[in-house]
């Protein structure tokens, strides 16, 4: 019985690690997706073929860089915080709920990108 419990814990730990790794990789990709959504919205509402096109281009570029830097800090905090949380609570219902909410948020961002 003890071998089964050790195997079960090890399997749960491996699954938790793989899910955490998948959410971290998907969140990193979503930085690119969110940046592209920002540029599409910026071009739609601010950019255009006006006489002053070049200043709006550089302003959009600067805002895009700032957005990526902010999202990178958020990504680092979420990945480290998520790793710590899942390390302490692996296999518990709260850990699975956090995974469900994380995947739901990430899929929502990807679906939103289809419409923007």
């Amino acid at each position: 019985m003890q071998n089964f419990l050790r195997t079960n814990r090890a399997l749960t730990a491996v699954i938790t690690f793989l899910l955490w790794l998948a959410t971290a990789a998907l969140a990193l990709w979503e930085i690119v997706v969110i940046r592209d959504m920002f540029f599409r919205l910026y071009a739609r509402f601010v950019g255009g073929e006006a006489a002053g096109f070049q200043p709006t281009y550089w302003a959009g570029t600067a805002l895009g860089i700032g957005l990526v830097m902010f999202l990178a800090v958020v990504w680092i905090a979420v990945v480290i915080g998520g790793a710590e949380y899942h390390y302490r609570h692996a296999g518990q219902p709260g850990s699975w709920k956090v995974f469900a909410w994380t995947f739901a948020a990430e899929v929502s961002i990807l679906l939103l990108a289809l419409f923007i």
Side-chain angles (χ1 to χ4, degrees):
M1 184 68 174
Q2 286 182 347
N3 286 338
F4 175 73
L5 291 176
R6 279 190 220 146
T7 305
N8 194 17
R9 279 191 203 142
L11 183 62
T12 301
V14 168
I15 290 172
T16 301
F17 175 74
L18 291 176
L19 284 173
W20 170 79
L21 196 61
T23 58
L26 188 58
L28 189 61
W29 172 249
E30 285 184 346
I31 291 175
V32 175
V33 171
I34 292 171
R35 184 196 64 154
D36 289 344
M37 283 193 305
F38 168 76
F39 283 144
R40 285 192 296 268
L41 287 171
Y42 186 82
R44 175 76 174 169
F45 294 113
V46 177
E49 297 187 23
F53 177 71
Q54 191 171 7
T56 59
Y57 169 80
W58 290 112
T61 301
L63 288 172
I65 291 170
L67 177 67
V68 168
M69 290 173 57
F70 172 74
L71 291 174
V73 170
V74 170
W75 180 81
I76 290 169
V78 168
V79 167
I80 292 173
E84 183 68 25
Y85 181 81
H86 293 300
Y87 175 74
R88 292 179 187 261
H89 301 284
Q92 295 178 1
S95 178
W96 301 118
K97 285 181 186 179
V98 170
F99 276 131
W101 279 103
T102 304
F103 275 121
E106 290 178 344
V107 168
S108 300
I109 291 170
L110 291 175
L111 289 175
L112 182 64
L114 293 174
F115 297 106
I116 294 180

